[in-house]
Amino acid sequence: MGAVAASTGAIPAISSAATINVPGIGNFDVPVGSEFDQQVAQANQALADHADQIKAAQQVLAPQSMAPLQGPGGAPMLPDLFHQQDHSVGNQALDVARSKIGAEYVWGASGPSNFDCSGLVQWAYKQVGIDLPRTSFEQSHVGKPIAFEELQPGDLVIQNGGGHVAMYAGDGKILQAPQSGETVSYAHLNPDSVVTARRVS
């Protein structure tokens, strides 16, 4: 049949399906001919031999989605392996700033252990290769202005007449070094407090 397919361009008929078992995900029927039975058995054995490593990788990469994914009718589905993560400069800076949650607010401090509001923003962006000015007022003029409805994680949110800056964290929250006696933390974003929002790229 292979010679016929090569000479005529026809695709050989596949009369059966093999089942591949992916630990922690589920079983998948793969349309292959019986001539691939040995390779299917080897693939299933390799997956079974490495089940613990596959499950450990799943826990590291996606701890919130350890249950097998199910589609319509309860059929197993593969996770979205091709989902594009946001690798924007702002999102990278936000990820860096998250590492400082719990650090104490100290007026005039710009890291790496203590921060004031603009010091946290300046430090986080510096870690991803962007130099920002030191004060919230100066930071209110960097990048390009963004409408409130267009905020994305990592955008700068200037508040309190320009005297405070935070990083938008998504879902209506900001990450900030709020004030003396507090630590770097998330807070709800009050739209009425926003003077301007800026996107640094």
Side-chain angles (χ1 to χ4, degrees):
M1 186 181 276
V4 172
S7 63
T8 66
I11 298 174
I14 296 175
S15 59
S16 65
T19 300
I20 302 287
N21 179 297
V22 181
I25 304 280
N27 293 326
F28 298 90
D29 290 332
V30 181
V32 295
S34 59
E35 66 269 21
F36 293 103
D37 285 348
Q38 183 179 0
Q39 288 90 342
V40 168
Q42 290 171 343
N44 276 326
Q45 185 61 51
L47 287 166
D49 290 346
H50 297 286
D52 291 340
Q53 291 136 329
I54 292 169
K55 288 178 183 175
Q58 288 172 331
Q59 289 175 345
V60 169
L61 297 174
Q64 71 281 7
S65 60
M66 287 308 300
L69 300 173
Q70 293 187 341
M77 292 176 27
L78 282 173
D80 183 4
L81 302 175
F82 301 103
H83 176 70
Q84 294 293 315
Q85 295 204 359
D86 181 3
H87 295 292
S88 68
V89 170
N91 207 46
Q92 291 175 37
L94 178 62
D95 284 343
V96 170
R98 284 183 178 122
S99 72
K100 295 303 178 177
I101 290 175
E104 286 190 43
Y105 177 98
V106 173
W107 186 84
S110 56
S113 301
N114 301 310
F115 301 91
D116 66 8
C117 64
S118 56
L120 175 66
V121 171
Q122 182 189 43
W123 179 85
Y125 270 90
K126 185 173 183 123
Q127 305 314 301
V128 297
I130 304 290
D131 288 323
L132 293 182
R134 177 64 187 89
T135 69
S136 57
F137 179 77
E138 293 169 317
Q139 291 174 4
S140 72
H141 296 89
V142 300
K144 66 179 184 174
I146 297 297
F148 183 83
E149 304 79 33
E150 296 174 9
L151 280 171
Q152 294 179 4
D155 287 343
L156 308 187
V157 178
I158 311 298
Q159 300 171 290
N160 301 338
H164 183 69
V165 62
M167 298 175 79
Y168 186 66
D171 297 323
K173 294 181 183 173
I174 53 173
L175 182 63
Q176 64 178 345
Q179 61 187 9
S180 294
E182 297 188 35
T183 61
V184 173
S185 57
Y186 290 104
H188 174 73
L189 175 57
N190 176 1
D192 295 333
S193 70
V194 177
V195 173
T196 187
R198 313 293 292 192
R199 180 162 302 148
V200 178
S201 53

